[in-house]
Amino acid sequence: MKQRLLVAAIGVPLLLVVLLVLPPIATTILAAAIAGAAAYELLHTAAKKPARLYALTILCAAVTVMTVFATAALPGLAWVEIAYPAFAFLYVVGLFYEVVHRHGTPEEIPFKDLAVCIVAGFVFPAMYGCIALLRNISPVFVLMPFVVAFIGDSFSMFAGMLFGGKRMAPRVSPKKTWAGGIGGPVGSALGMLILGLIARAAWSMELPLWYLAVIGVIANLFGQLGDLS
């Protein structure tokens, strides 16, 4: 609990500065760093022999995010559209080479590790790259994923603590309850409503409030599935 409050007190203001005040490239760099950290965590958690795969996979994750931003926000960089597929192709070929080359040896790399590297290097970073695209559209839109995640998670935690009750997925997440699972979408919907009112006052953007609430509920449900996954 204390750690969460400390993160909120220090991390949230810094995050808002990056997302709202600094140029869009700052958001892109942040998203690339998050993608790299996520790649490290996924390799550390799911791969059996990830040590020799860390550096290139983390680099691939960061490059993927930067490329998503560059191709959409900086038109005219034709070389990026050629260089990135070439980089991605060589990376995947290199992974397969390592798996084949070390097959049957004490340093054998399980095929599952290769699959994890591809997910960590391409799939998740492509999603994080969308954060950079949202910032390029408007500060309001880039705030939406964070509002859904942060406020929904907080409501879920407090609802679980207050009401407790039956566990949602005891074999996966023993502390997650159905009360928390319901509190999450409620919190995300309320957060999106508040964001819609702020958008009207600060940016003169008339976003339909009911639509934002629906997005908050649906996005939170997908987020809970992702959290359990």
Side-chain angles (χ1 to χ4, degrees):
M1 186 65 176
K2 290 182 179 179
Q3 185 178 5
R4 285 175 179 260
L5 293 175
L6 184 63
V7 170
I10 299 176
V12 172
L14 291 176
L15 179 64
L16 291 176
V17 170
V18 173
L19 297 180
L20 303 180
V21 179
L22 298 180
I25 187 62
T27 300
T28 305
I29 294 172
L30 175 63
I34 294 173
Y40 172 86
E41 184 176 359
L42 183 59
L43 284 173
H44 185 71
T45 303
K48 291 183 178 180
K49 294 185 177 180
R52 65 178 70 254
L53 305 175
Y54 273 159
L56 279 178
T57 303
I58 292 172
L59 174 63
C60 183
V63 170
T64 298
V65 172
M66 299 297 290
T67 303
V68 170
F69 171 78
T71 53
L74 303 172
L77 297 180
W79 63 271
V80 173
E81 299 179 8
I82 299 174
Y84 177 73
F87 164 77
F89 174 76
L90 291 175
Y91 172 71
V92 173
V93 169
L95 286 176
F96 275 96
Y97 172 79
E98 284 289 310
V99 171
V100 172
H101 177 65
R102 301 182 187 282
H103 181 69
T105 70
E107 296 181 338
E108 181 176 12
I109 299 174
F111 185 80
K112 185 191 77 168
D113 288 8
L114 180 146
V116 170
C117 286
I118 291 176
V119 172
F122 295 107
V123 180
F124 287 169
M127 299 177 187
Y128 288 121
C130 293
I131 296 176
L133 297 184
L134 289 171
R135 175 61 181 87
N136 194 53
I137 298 172
S138 167
V140 176
F141 288 97
V142 78
L143 285 176
M144 290 183 181
F146 295 97
V147 167
V148 169
F150 292 171
I151 298 182
D153 184 59
S154 298
F155 267 70
S156 178
M157 181 185 68
F158 287 122
M161 292 171 60
L162 288 174
F163 302 106
K166 188 176 180 181
R167 307 297 177 182
M168 178 184 292
R171 292 188 300 275
V172 178
S173 181
K175 293 184 179 181
K176 194 171 185 65
T177 64
W178 281 104
I182 295 172
V186 172
S188 293
L190 290 175
M192 290 290 280
L193 289 174
I194 294 172
L195 179 61
L197 295 174
I198 294 174
R200 289 184 178 183
W203 292 285
S204 300
M205 296 185 67
E206 293 291 333
L207 300 173
L209 296 182
W210 68 268
Y211 184 69
L212 294 178
V214 171
I215 290 177
V217 171
I218 295 175
N220 184 278
L221 292 176
F222 278 105
Q224 290 192 51
L225 177 60
D227 184 33
L228 292 172
S229 299

